[in-house]
Amino acid sequence: TREMIGFSVSRTHEATSTIFNTTMEGLIFSDQLLQLNMALSSSNVYGLSGDHKDGLLRKMEFNYQSVWATSVEKRHGAHPFLLHVEKDGHASGFFLQNSNAMDVILNPYPAITFRTTGGILDFYIFLGPTPAEVMAQFADKIGKPFLPPLWALGYHFGSDNFQSEEDFSALPNSPFPLDGLWVGQSTLKDNKEFTVDAARYPNITKIVSDLHDNKRQLLVDTRPAILLNSSHYNKDATYFVRDSSNKTILAKVAGGEAALPDYFHPDTEGWLQDVLSSYRSLLSFDGLFVDENEPSTVSNGAVGGCSRTDPYDNPIYSLKNVAKLRTKTLCPSARHYGGLRHYDVHNIYGWKSSAVTRTALSGVIKEKRSLLLSRSTYLGSGVHTGHFIKENAATWEDMKHSIVAMLNYNMYGIPLVGANICGYKSGIHDDDTSTEEEMCVRWHQLAAFYPLAKRYPAVETEMLKFGNDSVRWIQDAVELRYKLLPTLYTSFYSAHMKGLPVVSPLFFNYLNDEKTLPIDTQFMFGAGIMVAPVLKPGVTKHQVYFPNDLWYDYHDRNNIINGKIERGWAEQNVSLDKQTYYARGGHIIVTHLNIFSSTQQTNEMGDYVLDVYLSSDGESLGELYSDNGLSLHTISHDQFLFVKFYASKDNLRSEVTLRYPGHDNKNKIQEIYIRGLTDHVTNVTVNNSDQNWGSTTFEDGVLRGRALELPIVEAFMLTYR
């Protein structure tokens, strides 16, 4: 008999449980085709792509997942990582570190086949055993996400179609808090990257200055392709991608023939920094969205085509869901610095562009944190960049799918992610205004919990066609986002320090509840809030799944669902003005009491509210990370405030674990709400003092404290009996 070549990984905690087993037939190892079959202990598989639309839990029905970054069918990234929930309830992860084109076949046995067109079988296994521990172990390998500037977490809007300075006029009049304006290709001169059309925008410097005076930021859409008639193109430079004869390879893009930067070349970073510095002297941007960096082209391969005989332009294996590797991108035979073939590094071109752009951008914007977003990503991109899902349609289906994509990217270590709210290029259609209006309200209610929230197009031009109620409800959703900023920013701190996701599927916290495994219409925001958005039109009765915990309805203080007793689906009453989310017992949610027109103003002047939700055991925990939201190196230089909160049946206290003297946080805790108390409260003291600390009342199991004036930078003890 033939001896199988492979390995297996098992747990031996109680009874031996095999997690992965590759001792199966089908191992292939050749120059342009490698294959590995791997048996799994269960069909509970997640990951492998950010953009698939078959749900969070992958279908194991001989489905092919082609891993090749391309603008075709919007498969912009490459993410050969899977999270596996084993049959005994433990979690593990598998990362195939291979940047070649590959098919991943999801088999019903259950098993997975990795079929790659080159490279080596370099894989990593993460044993958890919880999903959070898998994420932390994975982050130790690929790198932990960057901490974004606080303004990145505010509300943004923008358009590709600003045609004149008048199109910017809606910004100062926005009825909503607002942090970012995004501008696209319409500001360029003759479609040349890193230019400004001064004829159409003669006052652009003042416009951006006014934007900054209002504590708002500018993000610009850039693309790698450099047109041949651009001043940034140098025909003698070696930092552009070459062909097999060592000449600059030319591709066709929307503006004409262009060259693509070779981000693997050591000189590219310096060139790009000079280009960005020159560009910022024309347009004082605060961040970049690097678009079409798969790279994406209009041509299939180079101008003039690709070789018909080169084995890398004509590989022996064709991906199931990709017509040709050259489709809408460079020839696979193109060369990068050091002799690298595009065939081998195409899937990490977006990752490398982000790494180089991050360094160059930091050399241009030296005084504060900048924001970088990328369309194409690979595992590890989150160290440098966030990801924006740009081209989602204005449909209920794509609103639902945005949740799946958001959860996937968080699993890939790219927590700063969001989709175009209300859809990309969505206009208000006169024959269908009510349907789109309802969808846009519901989408804003969902996007209050996106890690990255951006609306397309300009707010005023669209919202004027909505009714007053809808505008008010959208405003409520945006304001809720700003109230939740302390919780959201603290979650990004945890992601940066520990590699944990900012938003996560329900099963991350409830592995022993099999019913949570396929749920992708609800998610956890941080550790303490379950979001259950309405994703269909005309809904007044909404089915929500409540796992094994105590859940508090944010809107109705009398609606407390005990998932320990009533675990499962429950019908909830909803109306269009209601955002459906629930606080998890055992958690303390820190929010802002009052919000202002931007994150910076809210961070500087917004006092705090502590919402305490006691567990069935009568305890709760919470955290707050705070800095000025802008400065570089705040963590490494200890220039931040970190506070822990502890609550029990008879007291609430804070512990200031780090207070940097230069961090001038003058905000105060003004209000405290404690829900879940079973004994009537008649006496409340602060720091064992009889001093008057505002007003406190107790009603229906809720202790309310108002006008408390407790400095956030000082530890306190609130006692109630």
Side-chain angles (χ1 to χ4, degrees), residues 530-705:
M530 181 176 71
V531 184
V534 175
L535 302 170
K536 297 178 180 179
V539 172
T540 58
K541 301 289 185 180
H542 185 40
Q543 290 291 322
V544 177
Y545 188 83
F546 293 97
N548 183 16
D549 252 318
L550 202 59
W551 299 97
Y552 296 83
D553 189 326
Y554 176 81
H555 298 279
D556 183 358
R557 67 170 182 257
N558 295 316
N559 186 22
I560 303 176
I561 300 94
N562 191 339
K564 295 180 180 294
I565 299 174
E566 308 170 53
R567 182 179 65 185
W569 294 97
E571 187 175 85
Q572 300 289 294
N573 295 321
V574 295
S575 54
L576 192 51
D577 64 328
K578 182 179 179 181
Q579 294 168 267
T580 46
Y581 61 100
Y582 303 83
R584 182 184 178 192
H587 291 266
I588 299 172
I589 310 299
V590 185
T591 62
H592 280 304
L593 171 65
N594 32 22
I595 62 171
F596 298 87
S597 60
S598 70
T599 55
Q600 185 175 342
Q601 292 166 318
T602 302
N603 191 44
E604 292 171 354
M605 299 183 288
D607 286 330
Y608 295 106
V609 177
L610 299 187
D611 286 305
V612 180
Y613 300 95
L614 296 177
S615 67
S616 55
D617 296 328
E619 297 182 345
S620 287
L621 301 174
E623 295 178 340
L624 172 68
Y625 169 84
S626 173
D627 60 26
N628 64 18
L630 291 171
S631 296
L632 300 165
H633 315 303
T634 53
I635 296 176
S636 59
H637 292 174
D638 290 340
Q639 296 174 343
F640 63 90
L641 173 72
F642 193 79
V643 185
K644 290 186 176 182
F645 302 97
Y646 306 87
S648 67
K649 296 177 182 178
D650 56 16
N651 72 79
L652 167 66
R653 63 185 176 89
S654 72
E655 178 183 308
V656 181
T657 61
L658 181 62
R659 175 189 172 186
Y660 180 69
H663 179 51
D664 189 21
N665 191 328
K666 298 178 181 178
N667 300 339
K668 297 178 180 180
I669 301 171
Q670 293 288 7
E671 297 184 2
I672 292 174
Y673 299 87
I674 303 175
R675 295 179 64 177
L677 292 170
T678 55
D679 297 329
H680 188 77
V681 175
T682 58
N683 182 46
V684 178
T685 60
V686 178
N687 297 332
N688 297 316
S689 171
D690 293 330
Q691 178 182 347
N692 183 12
W693 293 89
S695 63
T696 57
T697 59
F698 181 80
E699 182 182 359
D700 296 332
V702 182
L703 177 63
R704 298 171 177 81

Side-chain angles (χ1 to χ4, degrees), residues 18-205:
T18 300
I19 306 170
F20 301 111
N21 184 0
T22 69
T23 57
M24 304 170 65
E25 289 189 355
L27 177 66
I28 300 173
F29 201 92
S30 64
D31 183 41
Q32 284 189 271
L33 183 62
L34 294 85
Q35 178 174 287
L36 177 71
N37 289 317
M38 183 170 67
L40 306 175
S41 71
S42 83
S43 297
N44 301 317
V45 173
Y46 306 83
L48 298 172
S49 171
D51 304 298
H52 67 85
K53 293 193 175 184
D54 62 355
L56 187 69
L57 179 63
R58 302 308 305 267
K59 294 178 181 178
M60 306 289 284
E61 301 170 354
F62 298 109
N63 299 69
Y64 278 71
Q65 175 68 60
S66 294
V67 181
W68 182 251
T70 173
S71 60
V72 180
E73 297 185 10
K74 304 179 179 64
R75 290 192 296 267
H76 299 302
H79 312 102
F81 169 81
L82 67 87
L83 180 69
H84 177 218
V85 177
E86 303 152 29
K87 64 181 180 181
D88 62 359
H90 293 97
S92 50
F94 185 93
F95 169 33
L96 177 57
Q97 187 171 259
N98 182 302
S99 58
N100 285 84
M102 72 176 75
D103 274 334
V104 183
I105 308 166
L106 307 171
N107 303 303
Y109 312 131
I112 288 184
T113 299
F114 291 92
R115 188 178 294 160
T116 176
T117 61
I120 61 175
L121 297 176
D122 181 14
F123 40 80
Y124 296 81
I125 295 173
F126 309 97
L127 296 179
T130 68
E133 288 169 317
V134 171
M135 293 297 96
Q137 294 157 6
F138 184 41
D140 285 340
K141 163 58 186 169
I142 63 172
K144 297 181 177 66
F146 75 105
L147 180 68
L150 183 61
W151 67 266
L153 310 185
Y155 183 62
H156 300 215
F157 77 76
S159 172
D160 292 336
N161 297 313
F162 288 123
Q163 297 300 324
S164 67
E165 292 179 348
E166 286 71 27
D167 288 338
F168 292 89
S169 62
L171 184 62
N173 301 318
S174 170
F176 317 120
L178 192 62
D179 266 87
L181 174 66
W182 297 24
V183 296
Q185 300 288 291
S186 59
T187 57
L188 302 180
K189 181 175 176 58
D190 301 326
N191 288 317
K192 298 175 185 175
E193 291 298 324
F194 311 112
T195 64
V196 174
D197 190 338
R200 278 194 294 161
Y201 301 97
N203 301 302
I204 192 69
T205 300

Side-chain angles (χ1 to χ4, degrees), residues 250-537:
L250 303 181
K252 189 173 182 180
V253 296
E257 293 186 4
L260 275 297
D262 180 3
Y263 293 106
F264 297 90
H265 197 292
D267 293 342
T268 303
E269 181 185 305
W271 165 80
L272 183 58
Q273 183 169 324
D274 289 343
V275 168
L276 292 178
S277 179
S278 173
Y279 189 31
R280 197 165 188 251
S281 69
L282 303 174
L283 190 64
S284 185
F285 56 83
D286 306 283
L288 302 174
F289 170 44
V290 184
D291 202 356
E292 299 189 359
N293 58 334
E294 293 80 14
S296 176
T297 67
V298 174
S299 56
N300 293 329
V303 173
C306 303
S307 169
R308 295 187 177 184
T309 58
D310 190 295
Y312 297 99
D313 286 336
N314 305 275
I316 58 174
Y317 177 75
S318 297
L319 298 189
K320 179 75 170 180
N321 299 315
V322 177
K324 296 285 186 181
L325 297 186
R326 72 189 69 172
T327 303
K328 304 299 181 185
T329 191
L330 294 175
C331 296
S333 62
R335 296 298 182 93
H336 296 266
Y337 180 80
L340 297 173
R341 289 186 179 89
H342 193 72
Y343 179 88
D344 297 308
V345 299
H346 171 88
N347 274 339
I348 58 173
Y349 185 88
W351 165 80
K352 189 63 174 177
S353 76
S354 296
V356 171
T357 303
R358 164 56 67 193
T359 304
L361 186 61
S362 298
V364 174
I365 303 178
K366 302 177 181 179
E367 70 280 8
K368 62 181 181 180
R369 273 177 267 170
S370 56
L371 175 60
L372 179 63
L373 303 173
S374 174
R375 187 168 86 167
S376 184
T377 56
Y378 188 78
L379 302 167
S381 288
V383 174
H384 315 289
T385 184
H387 174 67
F388 182 58
I389 306 164
K390 179 179 178 181
E391 297 170 345
N392 54 293
T395 64
W396 291 90
E397 179 185 2
D398 268 23
M399 178 169 68
K400 175 183 175 181
H401 172 64
S402 73
I403 300 174
V404 175
M406 174 178 67
L407 295 175
N408 273 327
Y409 278 97
N410 269 262
M411 281 194 284
Y412 304 147
I414 310 171
L416 185 63
V417 59
N420 258 313
I421 304 169
C422 305
Y424 180 57
K425 291 189 177 179
S426 60
I428 302 301
H429 309 295
D430 291 336
D431 59 344
D432 196 23
T433 302
S434 61
T435 300
E436 188 161 350
E437 185 170 333
E438 179 185 2
M439 182 191 69
C440 204
V441 170
R442 289 300 191 196
W443 209 321
H444 274 88
Q445 291 171 347
L446 164 62
F449 302 95
Y450 278 174
L452 177 67
K454 184 255 183 180
R455 167 83 169 98
Y456 181 101
V459 172
E460 288 290 279
T461 56
E462 289 291 288
M463 299 304 178
L464 287 176
K465 294 187 178 181
F466 286 167
N468 291 336
D469 285 342
S470 294
V471 174
R472 186 176 69 254
W473 297 332
I474 289 173
Q475 184 172 356
D476 289 344
V478 175
E479 290 180 353
L480 172 63
R481 180 176 186 83
Y482 279 71
K483 289 179 181 178
L484 287 168
L485 280 173
T487 293
L488 180 58
Y489 199 44
T490 301
S491 293
F492 270 98
Y493 168 78
S494 295
H496 178 66
M497 298 300 292
K498 304 174 185 177
L500 300 178
V502 170
V503 292
S504 59
L506 296 191
F507 76 81
F508 265 48
N509 296 288
Y510 304 99
L511 268 183
N512 293 322
D513 185 349
E514 292 185 354
K515 291 183 179 179
T516 65
L517 296 176
I519 293 176
D520 54 19
T521 54
Q522 298 173 214
F523 60 93
M524 297 300 297
F525 178 82
I529 296 176
M530 181 176 71
V531 184
V534 175
L535 302 170
K536 297 178 180 179

